[in-house]
Structures are given as C-alpha cells and as structure tokens.
Amino acid sequence: MSTAETLAHAVKAGQLLPSAAENIRAWQAVSLPDWARRSLEELIAKEAWSELNDRFFRYLEFGTGGIRGRTIGVVSTTDERGAASATGSPAHAAVGSNVLNDFTLLRATIGLYRYMEKYLASAHRFDRPKLVIAHDVRHFSRHFCELAASAWTRLGGSAFIFDGPRSTPQLSFTVRYLKAHAGVVITASHNPPHDNGFKAYFEDGAQVVPPHDKNIVNEVNAVPLTAVGEYLDIRKQGVVVLDASVDQAYLAVASRAAIDPALFKRASLKVVFTNIHGVGGVSAPPLMRSFGIDVTQVPQQAAFDPQFPTVKSPNPENAEALALAVALADEKKIDLVLATDPDCDRMGVAVRNRSGALELLTGNQIGALLADYRISKYKEIGWIPAGGSSRAALIKTFVTTPLQDAIGRNHGVKVINTLTGFKWIAAKMRAYEETLKRELLARSGIAIDYDATPFERRAKLLLEQSTFFLFGTEESYGYLPNDLVRDKDGNAACLMFCELAAWVKERGLTIPEHLDELYLKNGFYLEGVINLYYEGATGAAKIKRILETYRSAPPKAFGDVAVAKFEDFGRQTIVDSDGEEIPKQDLYFVTLANGYTFAARGSGTEPKMKFYVFGKADVKTPADLPAVKVAVKAELDRIRALIEADAKARAEG
C-alpha cells in the first residue's frame, strides 16, 4: 500500500483526521530536508495516528501570547532525537504544522516581516523593517532566535539579537529603546519543557493587538510552505549582536520600579531568589543588589537548563517550584522568597508569617498588596492628590481579583478592567500616551518626545491632560510598575515586592498581617482557579464544546445557587471605565445569587479551559476575620466543584 493509500485508509477508518491528512499531503508535496522527510515517513509507517493528528490537525495560530506549542513530540522519531545536546535538546524540533519548528517559525517570521513592510509603507515610512529578538533557555531557543534573525535580514530587514538569554520585559524595553518596528521573544513562559513559542511585539514595545495581530496571522497563513525552504540555513552575516550598554539601559529603567529607595537602606533586607533555571538570574539579582538587598540564590536552580530538572513545572505559582528556595530560606533564617518563571515576566512569592512559617501568596494577593502600597506611596510623595484622581489608573484584567477594584475605589482612582493578557493593559498605556501627545500638540503646538521626557514630568503631564498609569497587574503573577516597559516584568516585580517588604518590616508587621489590614479595609476576597487540560485535537474539540454550550445554553444554576447575571463578551457590547468598547472574545462572566462570580475562557497559550472563581464577604472587626475566611473558603470550594462538574459534562457533549 502506498503512503497516499495508507493515509486515505486511515481517514476512512476514523484514525486520521481529514485536516491532518490534508496537511500531511501538503508537507509531502514540498522539498523537505532529508531528516524531516524520513521522520514523517517513520510516523506513517508506525501508524502513529494520534501523534500525527496532534502534529498536523491545524496550523499554529496566534493567541493571547502569540504562537506557542510543542517542539518535541509525544512520540519522537529517530532523526528528530538524533544526538542530544549537552542539555538534552534533541537534534531537531518535531515535524508538523501544529508544532513550533523551523518551518512554522519561518512562516511566522516571513509573515511578520511582510506585514511590517506593508504597515510601514502605508504610513509612508520606508525604512528597513527593524526587529529585535530575545530568547529564553528552552530547547531550540537560541537556534530559533538565530534562524528568525537570519531570515529577517535576508528578507531585507535589520535584525538585532542579544548575546544570550534575556527576559521578556527586557525585549519589550529594547524595542522602544532601539526604536525598532517589531520584536519577538522565543519563549513558552512557564509551559512544560517540551514547549516553545514565538511571541510578537509591535513598535510600542507591547504584544500585538487588533488589528495588527489578525493582519499578521493573515500574512503568516498566506506564506506557502514552499517559501520556507530557502531560509532554513542560518546566515549570521548582517545580524547585529547587542552589547552590554543595552543591558545597562534596561536595568536603569527597571530600577525606576522603586518609589522610596531610602526604605532599603533602613531595612537591611535579605531575600532568597530562584530563577528556576530560567533567565531571571540575568537581571533580577543585580537589580536587587544595586539597592543594597542581600540576595541568596538557590544553587541547584541557578544554571540555565531547558529541562527544568528540579521541578515538575517551572511555574512560580506552584509551591513545588519554590520548595528548594523555601528550604534554603528556612536554613538561612530569611523571611522572603522570590521566584521568576523561565522568561522572567512573572514572579511568585513566599513570606514568613507571625508563627514563623513561610507561606505562598497568590498572584491576586501579590497584585493587591503592590497596588495598595504603590498608590499610597504616590499620594505620600505628592505625585497624585491625597483624595485620588480620575486621571490616575490602576489597570487589571477582568479575571483578576475584585479586591483590587475595591482598593482602587477606596483610593479614589480609576480602575480599568481589560481582557486577559498584558497586551491589553499595554494597549491602554499606548492610548494614554497618544492622548497626551495629541493634547499637547493641539494646545501648545509641542510635539513631545515621550520616552525622552523625564518620568516625573511625564506623570504630571498625564495627570493634567490624559491618564497616569499607576500600576498594572493580572492574576497570573504578572505586575508592571510604570509605562517605561510595556509588558509584565518579573525583574521589576522583585524590586517592587522588596520595597513593600521593607516598608512592612519597618512597621513591625508581617506581610500576612498587612494583607489582613487590606481585608479589614476593603472586605475579604478569595479566589480559585479551575484548569481543565485537554491535549491535542480531541482536547481542542472538548474546549470548543464547553465554550459553545456556554453560549447556546448558559448555566441557570449551580446546585442551590442561581445565576443572577450572565455576560457574553463575544456577543454583548461591554465598555471599560474609559467608555471604550471591549473587543469581542469568547469570555463569559457569571454573577451568582450569593454574590460570588466566575469567569470562563479558553487559554490562549495552553491546551486548557480556565475558570476563575471569586468569593467575597464583608468584615466588621478583626475578631470576625478568621471565621469569615473559613466560611468564604468553604462556599468557594463548593461552588468551584459544581462549576467543574458542569464543565466536564459539557466537554463530553
């Protein structure tokens, strides 16, 4: 039986998806490298239909974080494995249209280049498209970085790369610093070791948003596989490797995260820090040490390693990922543990409570603590009025704790809720920047150089004529102190939390005690997350069923708790606090009769369905708080179990 007949038979037998068969035939029709051709033949000969379905049922698409997916198959071929590198990387990324490999990465690079070329021409800007690329420590990250840079220069653009791994926030800054037209980070953030990604940034240093993201996708989809072959060999001529001055410029900007540096001198702060084998070790320790903070790193996790061998997942929100750091902190009698994820845009924290034990904080709690502290400090130093201002904004995502909405209201500042993904927070910053430029030009004829304007002066101008960005945060452990960078920043987050810890220490409190102060002032809030993982083609169908049935048959009740309100962000018109319409998305927000709420959405970066559940209760006195915490947790757990059971039933149809 020929290969074509084998594929046709597998489709007829229901073993191979028609879309997978179609994509496999398309790949067979082009001139693949020998190793790739042999790999495809091996999988077909083995009748590895489940593997082929997962690899070929679709082409990778841009989500909230760009393109992200497997680089190593569940079943690897002989040629793909080859001779592994010193860090365990296979010889080649897996073959497939739904895999991040040389072929799909080049399609993304070529599509991005073509879009940028058209975008610049439409604006009558005829410079060569200028791209900055950073990468983390994952399998193939350096290779993908050099491959993309090589293709970009051969297409006619200018490409700039770093001499080694760098953090995502540094890429965001460097795009603006070099006045580049676009940026790319090769990373899969905290995903499992077998994943990698291609995250695209625009000229404002933020991840791409509409209409650019959809237009880039269209350009990528228009790139035929036949156009990729000539760029498969890496040519480094013309690719610029950035020097140390760019690192120093980023560290100078990250240091602006500190509002009251004098606190560090008085506190003599000690921290244990772990980069969990990722790029956080490049900038976070020197940044903290520059403020006199005593930083002890976890030796077993300090070295770059794409296999993340000491953890099940390199995710700083997981207790297991911080276990070595917590043990070291106990040994050294240090009260604060900080951890960053592989590309250092996210940060997790463990703090010592009054009884002497270290406890992990959630991303919601960290964000609430930082938001309240930073708004309070801005008032203290006179940057915003003591009573707040409607021209000062705390920006968060809809799926981030409503405790932060309460904090903003009580401080008298505007709270903006956005869709999930820091790119939407950055889009608001860009809008505030453009408003200021427009207002100044209209009123005084001044064309302001925004980045060159001192930060304090910018803040004053924004308060007067636009909106001053106070702080940005999302529940998934992402925080941004100011608009000098346009993506969440794990390096700056470490410094911000150290400043908060120094302030709390000076008051003679522990962080959990200060968190209770926030609850007494704003009400007690508790959050829970449901992650339903559905891998591959069959998993994608289950996620789709959940999303579609939420729209066609919205839930009416969960147990004895009725649904009081159902909001469909994909169909309804919903506006933010600026009066701007929220882009349509498959996001559902449900308010229950008991005052609890939850949001449901498919992850844009991982094969999972996510539910964010929020519980709350008023607290009248400190003595009431322990009982309130217990009651809210019990009810939240009960509601969460009901939501999860309903979702699993919907997934199965």
Side-chain angles (χ1 to χ4, degrees):
M1 190 182 295
S2 69
T3 299
E5 290 171 330
T6 300
L7 293 176
H9 182 269
V11 171
K12 188 174 181 180
Q15 297 167 310
L16 186 65
L17 293 170
S19 62
E22 182 181 348
N23 288 331
I24 290 169
R25 293 188 191 102
W27 281 56
Q28 289 178 318
V30 301
S31 180
L32 294 172
D34 289 343
W35 70 267
R37 177 181 48 77
R38 288 194 300 266
S39 292
L40 193 49
E41 290 171 352
E42 180 180 326
L43 290 171
I44 295 170
K46 288 181 176 179
E47 297 186 353
W49 304 127
S50 177
E51 180 72 11
L52 286 165
N53 278 332
D54 289 347
R55 291 192 186 200
F56 282 98
F57 82 97
R58 66 175 183 180
Y59 274 87
L60 282 177
E61 299 175 352
F62 274 77
T64 57
I67 295 176
R68 191 181 297 188
R70 274 186 171 269
T71 59
I72 301 171
V74 177
V75 178
S76 291
T77 70
T78 304
D79 278 283
E80 287 169 352
R81 289 191 299 271
S85 71
T87 54
S89 295
H92 300 286
V95 172
S97 59
N98 188 42
V99 177
L100 189 70
N101 50 37
D102 290 14
F103 314 100
T104 53
L105 179 125
L106 282 171
R107 288 185 80 232
T109 303
I110 294 167
L112 178 62
Y113 179 87
R114 290 178 177 175
Y115 178 70
M116 294 311 304
E117 198 171 43
K118 291 178 181 178
Y119 168 76
L120 292 172
S122 69
H124 304 289
R125 296 160 58 188
F126 298 103
D127 353 13
R128 296 171 63 194
K130 189 173 181 179
L131 177 73
V132 184
I133 310 174
H135 66 85
D136 67 7
V137 306
R138 288 180 172 273
H139 296 297
F140 311 110
S141 281
R142 184 66 183 182
H143 169 76
F144 287 154
C145 170
E146 293 179 346
L147 182 65
S150 167
W152 194 271
T153 56
R154 292 168 67 182
L155 285 161
S158 302
F160 298 78
I161 65 175
F162 297 90
D163 61 6
R166 292 297 190 280
S167 67
T168 289
Q170 182 163 352
L171 180 280
S172 171
F173 163 76
T174 305
V175 168
R176 292 180 71 91
Y177 181 69
L178 295 180
K179 300 189 185 308
H181 304 116
V184 165
V185 181
I186 308 297
T187 181
S189 187
H190 57 284
N191 278 35
H194 53 62
D195 285 2
N196 213 328
F198 176 103
K199 190 156 57 172
Y201 287 72
F202 213 59
E203 59 186 341
D204 62 339
Q207 293 179 54
V208 292
V209 295
H212 307 300
D213 56 352
K214 296 293 191 296
N215 291 338
I216 291 169
V217 169
N218 291 338
E219 289 290 345
V220 171
N221 290 339
V223 177
L225 204 56
T226 52
V228 166
E230 64 180 293
Y231 300 104
L232 286 169
D233 61 310
I234 295 176
R235 300 179 188 175
K236 297 182 183 179
Q237 300 91 336
V239 175
V240 178
V241 179
L242 298 167
D243 60 29
S245 66
V246 178
D247 294 327
Q248 292 161 5
Y250 167 69
L251 284 173
V253 161
S255 70
R256 294 305 307 265
I259 298 177
D260 187 358
L263 279 167
F264 296 114
K265 295 180 181 179
R266 300 194 298 267
S268 300
L269 202 65
K270 294 182 179 181
V271 305
V272 169
F273 170 78
T274 177
N275 50 297
I276 319 179
H277 306 289
V279 302
V282 174
S283 296
L287 176 63
M288 288 186 282
R289 287 174 179 139
S290 71
F291 284 85
I293 300 165
D294 185 339
V295 181
T296 299
Q297 292 183 249
V298 177
Q300 304 97 313
Q301 296 178 323
F304 298 155
D305 195 322
Q307 301 189 86
F308 311 110
T310 63
V311 295
K312 292 178 182 177
S313 169
N315 190 339
E317 68 185 83
N318 296 338
E320 180 267 340
L322 274 69
L324 288 173
V326 167
L328 184 59
D330 282 335
E331 177 191 332
K332 301 284 187 182
K333 294 181 172 53
I334 293 174
D335 295 339
L336 179 59
V337 171
L338 303 171
T340 54
D341 67 338
D343 66 322
C344 197
D345 62 349
R346 301 163 77 244
M347 180 204 71
V349 172
V351 295
R352 204 169 297 280
N353 59 30
R354 183 58 67 183
S355 66
L358 282 164
E359 59 181 70
L360 263 65
L361 299 179
T362 68
N364 282 310
Q365 291 170 330
I366 296 167
L369 286 162
L370 291 174
D372 181 76
Y373 171 77
R374 296 184 70 79
I375 297 170
S376 299
K377 271 293 174 182
Y378 277 133
K379 289 181 175 181
E380 182 182 308
I381 65 176
W383 281 34
I384 62 173
S389 170
S390 61
R391 289 184 176 271
L394 165 65
I395 309 182
K396 58 181 280 290
T397 62
F398 282 104
V399 298
T400 298
T401 176
L403 170 58
Q404 293 176 30
D405 295 84
I407 287 170
R409 284 194 303 271
N410 287 332
H411 272 294
V413 301
K414 179 166 55 178
V415 180
I416 302 288
N417 281 282
T418 72
L419 294 174
T420 303
F422 235 84
K423 65 182 184 180
W424 302 109
I425 296 176
K428 297 300 294 186
M429 286 187 278
R430 180 170 189 168
Y432 298 151
E433 174 185 344
E434 295 301 327
T435 296
L436 176 61
K437 289 177 178 177
R438 187 170 58 251
E439 290 296 316
L440 283 176
L441 193 61
R443 295 182 184 186
S444 58
I446 297 174
I448 184 175
D449 185 334
Y450 194 82
D451 288 343
T453 304
F455 182 53
E456 186 172 356
R457 173 64 177 159
R458 268 168 46 181
K460 187 174 186 297
L461 290 171
L462 287 163
L463 272 174
E464 291 172 351
Q465 301 185 47
S466 181
T467 298
F468 174 45
F469 170 74
L470 294 167
F471 180 62
T473 175
E474 62 182 4
E475 57 79 35
S476 58
Y477 294 70
Y479 324 99
L480 184 63
N482 50 53
D483 70 353
L484 299 171
V485 173
R486 300 299 171 94
D487 204 353
K488 53 187 180 285
D489 190 339
N491 300 303
C494 286
L495 185 60
M496 283 192 288
F497 203 89
C498 284
E499 181 178 348
L500 167 71
W503 177 74
V504 170
K505 180 181 177 182
E506 191 170 65
R507 295 178 62 218
L509 298 175
T510 66
I511 295 289
E513 287 168 342
H514 175 52
L515 185 58
D516 282 349
E517 289 183 323
L518 295 189
Y519 293 145
L520 290 167
K521 182 178 179 182
N522 301 285
F524 177 68
Y525 292 79
L526 186 65
E527 302 77 37
V529 178
I530 303 167
N531 290 312
L532 299 180
Y533 286 88
Y534 294 114
E535 294 273 359
T538 57
K542 290 182 178 182
I543 293 171
K544 184 179 179 183
R545 271 198 296 273
I546 297 172
L547 291 169
E548 288 180 346
T549 59
Y550 254 74
R551 176 163 291 144
S552 62
K556 302 297 183 185
F558 293 91
D560 60 347
V561 182
V563 170
K565 185 179 181 181
F566 181 85
E567 295 175 280
D568 182 346
F569 281 63
R571 292 290 182 269
Q572 296 173 235
T573 298
I574 297 170
V575 298
D576 65 22
S577 297
D578 284 331
E580 295 183 354
E581 184 176 340
I582 302 295
K584 297 290 190 289
Q585 190 179 87
D586 284 339
L587 167 69
Y588 307 98
F589 211 90
V590 182
T591 303
L592 303 177
N594 63 355
Y596 286 37
T597 58
F598 75 89
R601 59 178 285 270
S603 172
T605 56
E606 297 179 82
K608 66 182 178 182
M609 185 72 201
K610 296 191 73 171
F611 296 84
Y612 309 79
V613 191
F614 307 102
K616 65 175 183 177
D618 293 332
V619 187
K620 294 181 179 179
T621 69
D624 295 333
L625 186 54
V628 168
K629 288 182 178 181
V630 171
V632 171
K633 184 180 186 305
E635 180 66 355
L636 188 79
D637 288 344
R638 185 177 78 91
I639 294 295
R640 185 165 55 178
L642 292 167
I643 294 168
E644 183 172 352
D646 174 78
K648 287 180 176 178
R650 290 171 182 268
E652 299 304 324

